[in-house]
Amino acid sequence: MCGIIGYVGSSGETLGTLLQGLSNLEYRGYDSAGVALAASPLTVYKKQGEVDALEDAIPNPAPEGHAGIGHTRWSTHGPPSDANAHPHTDCHDRVAVVHNGIIDNYQELRDELTASGHEFRSETDTEVVPHLIESFLDNGANPEEAFRSAIDRISGSYAIAAVFDETETVYAVRNQSPLVLGLGDDGTYLASDVPAFIEYTDRVVYLDDGEFARLERDEVVVTDSDGAAVEKSVETIDWDPEDAGKSGYRHYMLKEIHEQPHAVRQCLRGRVSERDESVLFEELPNLDADGPVHFVACGTSYHAALYGECLLQEQGTAAQSFVASEYDIDRIPVDEETLVIGVTQSGETADTLRALRGANRSGATTLAVTNVVASSAARECDDVVYIRAGPEISVAATKSFVGQQITLALVANALAGGSSPAFRRALRNLPDQIQRILDESAARSVATTFIGSDAYFFIGRNYHVPVALEGALKMKEITYEHAEGFAAGELKHGPLALVTRKTPVIALVTGDEPTATKILGNVSEVAARDAPVIAVTDSPGGVGQVADRVLVVPTTHPWLVPVLVNVQLQLLAYWTADELERPIDKPRNLAKSVTVE
């Protein structure tokens, strides 16, 4: 949620670089946008609505400067409006500030500043920052001193960047909200996420909590809270700039669904040996789970965690999944024997980071399963496994969820101490099987058939319960239609009261084990009440006799069937949303990366 971009470089490039960065950050979710140029005088443009509205509000020609900052805002304090949009300035427009996060003591600071004569123009917590900086400038501090002194006064979670009039410098700091620096040939960059500047440079430096950065045209200086220089390693991002584009697809989500065969191959690269038919995890040479395993995650990642829980429980491991915001180490027993696995696409999810930090304090071993190299979760956990899905732009997660599923299956295999030949063959065949679904799926036709339904119910058993939950989440996220997912056995304990001819039931029925027989009984229950049934199955001959429509998946290892089933549910949600003409990549009220608790 919210996005920051900063740039110091060529004067004629600043505005265009900032606007491009904001466009690249649109996937994070936002309701207004703005830029500030450190020209003489300091110039700010901001507008409620999308980046296009901001571009239309900027005069041509526009003032230019060597340094600037930009922001896409997702409202917390104050509704979307031009006044509440970032950047915010002081009384005399000498400094402009952008901010992600929440300032906990803003009301106290605002009251103090108002009493001393400062006039506020917005309802945001952010605006206290430029006024604090102004108060220190008025007392003789230089820009960097004023910036540091202001940060000393605030508490909360934040990533903050500032520019001053008649300067060529960007100042920044982070605390529990991500900031990454980019080192380019023609300038330096600052952003909340790498895609903001990926077309300009792949060399990055990640800030840690409490670190300050000063960006000049040809250097970046990182210091700690006391002003001492900090040596930072430079990472190289293995993403092609084209990965962040649509590549001819109508929506990022559809592109990312179709990238899943490649994402799975990337996830498996170097982890499934062709030579000795082994499954390797060189990143985790000493991984062990003699004690309990706790998964902590949010949203889609929580559904991946539930899937991992199922795999570990089958092997006799005491595994349990927790919604990260509910993981309270004062209530839940955690000690040195506990392995806590944080599942987070971005590696910056605030609730998941809080849970992992609590686990670290309790002496547990922590493992991050994430997509972003050197993210906060990756750096703070004892171990990390990357899912290697590449950049995911659409707010609704698709290829990152499949990457999490595969990675957790590999982790479960590692904890089990080995794998069967059938599992290894299934892993190698998986990318081609996903491609077959993408090529042959009837999901578009099914979606069109059931447009106008009152609700969609997704049911499954065992491994398929997490996928039913994820299928329902995808449906509600991008279609705005009501959808629920639950264990099929729970139908008769309440939800059956809602079943009508206008509530399609999507039943996940695979294999020929007893669970499949039981779910066929559940399908018969809803069919007897005239509810339409959509079966997702690898055995269309059986369930097809009672289902109205069938979506077929190839036969594979039981652990991996949920991966294939999930792809069909992604397509069903996508084509339903497309038929309803929803803004698929940017669903209302949602953000890609939730960096506040």
Side-chain angles (χ1 to χ4, degrees), residues 289 291-297 301-314 316-324 326-328 331-334 338-343 408 415:
V293 176
H294 292 174
F295 291 95
V296 292
S301 296
Y302 175 67
H303 299 153
L306 289 171
Y307 166 75
E309 173 193 304
C310 289
L311 301 185
L312 290 180
Q313 287 179 346
E314 183 178 281
T317 300
Q320 187 175 2
S321 297
F322 298 86
V323 174
E326 296 297 312
Y327 192 70
D328 182 354
R331 179 175 54 85
I332 299 165
V334 181
T338 311
L339 171 62
V340 179
I341 301 176
V343 187
L408 290 175
L415 291 173

Side-chain angles (χ1 to χ4, degrees), residues 148-182:
R148 285 180 171 275
S149 297
I151 299 305
D152 283 344
R153 293 292 315 279
I154 67 175
S155 62
S157 63
Y158 50 79
I160 295 174
V163 290
F164 295 78
D165 61 343
E166 300 183 6
T167 65
E168 296 182 4
T169 306
V170 172
Y171 299 94
V173 64
R174 74 157 273 177
N175 183 56
Q176 299 177 24
S177 190
L179 275 181
V180 58
L181 312 177

Side-chain angles (χ1 to χ4, degrees), residues 12-68:
E13 302 295 328
T14 304
L15 181 59
T17 300
L18 296 176
L19 292 173
Q20 182 62 51
L22 294 181
S23 295
N24 292 352
L25 290 170
E26 286 187 296
Y27 69 93
R28 293 175 69 89
Y30 71 107
D31 49 50
S32 58
V35 295
L37 302 169
S40 182
L42 184 73
T43 306
V44 173
Y45 302 103
K46 54 184 185 175
K47 197 74 177 173
Q48 178 184 347
E50 298 192 350
V51 173
D52 288 347
L54 171 64
E55 292 179 352
D56 292 341
I58 297 174
N60 188 13
E64 272 290 1
H66 290 284

Side-chain angles (χ1 to χ4, degrees), residues 264-312:
V264 171
R265 291 187 181 97
Q266 287 295 102
C267 185
L268 296 176
R269 178 172 46 84
R271 293 168 173 168
V272 178
S273 171
E274 297 287 348
R275 186 178 65 242
D276 56 9
E277 293 191 338
S278 60
V279 177
L280 310 171
F281 239 144
E282 294 180 356
E283 305 104 305
L284 304 174
N286 301 312
L287 183 68
D288 115 37
D290 291 337
V293 176
H294 292 174
F295 291 95
V296 292
C298 305
T300 287
S301 296
Y302 175 67
H303 299 153
L306 289 171
Y307 166 75
E309 173 193 304
C310 289
L311 301 185
L312 290 180

Side-chain angles (χ1 to χ4, degrees), residues 27 57 119 150 169 291 317 382 401 446 462 478 499 517:
Y27 69 93
E119 296 182 2
T169 306
T317 300
D382 296 308
F401 178 68
V446 173
N462 200 359
I478 64 170
V499 169
T517 302

Side-chain angles (χ1 to χ4, degrees), residues 60 105 347 404 449 507:
N60 188 13
N105 62 336
Q404 290 168 341
T449 300

Side-chain angles (χ1 to χ4, degrees), residues 218-408:
D218 55 1
E219 71 169 346
V220 169
V221 177
V222 178
T223 55
D224 63 18
S225 57
D226 296 322
V230 178
E231 292 294 325
K232 303 290 290 185
S233 61
V234 178
E235 308 278 350
T236 300
I237 299 299
D238 187 22
W239 291 353
D240 189 308
E242 290 297 318
D243 292 342
K246 291 183 182 176
S247 302
Y249 288 92
R250 291 181 59 201
H251 298 99
Y252 283 111
M253 182 178 179
L254 186 60
K255 170 180 177 274
E256 288 155 8
I257 290 172
H258 280 264
E259 286 176 338
Q260 288 177 133
H262 176 70
V264 171
R265 291 187 181 97
Q266 287 295 102
C267 185
L268 296 176
R269 178 172 46 84
R271 293 168 173 168
V272 178
S273 171
E274 297 287 348
R275 186 178 65 242
D276 56 9
E277 293 191 338
S278 60
V279 177
L280 310 171
F281 239 144
E282 294 180 356
E283 305 104 305
L284 304 174
N286 301 312
L287 183 68
D288 115 37
D290 291 337
V293 176
H294 292 174
F295 291 95
V296 292
C298 305
T300 287
S301 296
Y302 175 67
H303 299 153
L306 289 171
Y307 166 75
E309 173 193 304
C310 289
L311 301 185
L312 290 180
Q313 287 179 346
E314 183 178 281
Q315 299 173 119
T317 300
Q320 187 175 2
S321 297
F322 298 86
V323 174
S325 59
E326 296 297 312
Y327 192 70
D328 182 354
I329 59 171
D330 293 327
R331 179 175 54 85
I332 299 165
V334 181
D335 58 26
E336 293 83 356
E337 298 298 316
T338 311
L339 171 62
V340 179
I341 301 176
V343 187
T344 161
Q345 188 279 137
S346 67
E348 303 292 349
T349 309
D351 290 319
T352 305
L353 287 174
R354 182 201 56 77
L356 288 168
R357 287 163 181 158
N360 281 329
R361 289 194 302 272
S362 297
T365 299
T366 52
L367 168 65
V369 175
T370 184
N371 193 36
V372 180
V373 174
S375 58
S376 294
R379 286 178 284 123
E380 295 182 25
C381 286
D382 296 308
D383 295 295
V384 58
V385 177
Y386 294 111
I387 67 173
R388 303 173 180 170
E392 187 174 68
I393 306 303
S394 179
V395 168
T398 52
K399 65 177 180 175
S400 65
F401 178 68
V402 166
Q404 290 168 341
Q405 286 181 296
I406 301 302
T407 303
L408 290 175

